[in-house]
Amino acid sequence: MNKSTVWLTIFFAVLIWSGIEPKDSFTWFLEVVPALIALPILFLTRKNFPLTSLAYGLILIHAIILMVGGHYTYAEVPLFDTLADWMGSERNNYDKVGHFAQGFIPALLAREVFLRLEVVKQGAWCHFLVCCFALALSAFYELIEWWVALATGEDAEAFLGTQGYVWDTQSDMGMALIGALASVLLLSRWHDRLLLNLKK
């Protein structure tokens, strides 16, 4: 079984599981849509612009995070209810994992595209622009949440996942920025080696 088959098997297994009796069908759809959009894009670009194995792996992890959040809703993921109890918190913080990933993974993808298309060279400016991209993406996602809330009213409450926290939008973007910074600091050298191998 090759890597693509393993990737697709995991993707569809988790997708099918997440779609079986989700907590809220509307929220499930909203949460998994980004993963469903990414799948055909990856398929169509696999020959002309194949990504590094690290990028594909991180995309799969992000898709799984979305699918788990879609199945339970971000405010009711059982493991994070347990963690909240242990820490004496009333808030389920699974959404913060999602927003950290929303910075961590797109930052790596932006870095890959920027460097391979020679938009910018490796170094400080690349790091800065990658983090700007991830933060802009996070802000755009918050705008989408706002638009959905305006269009659907109470039906969007589970999608928003604010749990009564007045600074939820700002903290979501803050987590995405932290994720982007972590991605740049932790993965750049490994990513550079993979990019070099991709050119051979």
Side-chain angles (χ1 to χ4, degrees):
M1 195 180 298
N2 61 35
K3 290 180 181 179
S4 297
T5 304
V6 172
W7 194 101
L8 287 169
T9 300
I10 295 170
F11 182 95
F12 282 109
V14 179
L15 178 64
I16 291 167
W17 164 80
S18 73
I20 297 172
E21 298 183 1
K23 177 78 176 180
D24 181 272
S25 296
F26 180 63
T27 300
W28 176 84
F29 173 75
L30 292 174
E31 298 295 0
V32 302
V33 157
L36 296 177
I37 291 171
L39 187 62
I41 293 172
L42 294 176
F43 178 78
L44 293 172
T45 59
R46 73 193 190 286
K47 291 183 179 178
N48 294 331
F49 199 83
L51 302 175
T52 58
S53 57
L54 176 60
Y56 283 124
L58 288 175
I59 291 169
L60 180 60
I61 290 169
H62 201 176
I64 291 170
I65 290 170
L66 293 171
M67 292 171 194
V68 171
H71 181 79
Y72 294 110
T73 77
Y74 275 76
E76 299 183 51
V77 174
L79 174 61
F80 282 76
D81 277 340
T82 303
L83 292 175
D85 289 341
W86 288 351
M87 299 185 329
S89 172
E90 295 181 0
R91 194 179 194 283
N92 184 309
N93 283 309
Y94 185 76
D95 67 319
K96 299 311 174 197
V97 173
H99 286 282
F100 178 88
Q102 192 180 66
F104 191 88
I105 295 160
L108 187 281
L109 297 176
R111 187 177 192 274
E112 183 147 332
V113 172
F114 288 174
L115 292 176
R116 289 176 63 186
L117 296 182
E118 299 181 348
V119 175
V120 65
K121 294 180 180 179
Q122 293 175 354
W125 274 109
C126 180
H127 295 166
F128 174 72
L129 292 174
V130 159
C131 290
C132 286
F133 172 84
L135 193 54
L137 183 66
S138 175
F140 182 64
Y141 190 80
E142 295 299 326
L143 289 174
I144 291 173
E145 287 187 343
W146 175 45
W147 296 331
V148 169
L150 290 176
T152 62
E154 291 184 3
D155 289 342
E157 188 174 340
F159 178 56
L160 292 173
T162 59
Q163 301 178 65
Y165 181 40
V166 68
W167 301 112
D168 185 71
T169 298
Q170 291 82 358
S171 66
D172 287 349
M173 290 189 288
M175 287 302 297
L177 178 58
I178 291 169
L181 291 169
S183 182
V184 165
L185 293 172
L186 298 175
L187 300 181
S188 290
R189 289 186 180 180
W190 181 16
H191 191 218
D192 287 341
R193 290 196 296 271
L194 292 173
L195 289 173
L196 192 61
N197 291 335
L198 206 59
K199 292 180 180 178
K200 294 178 181 178

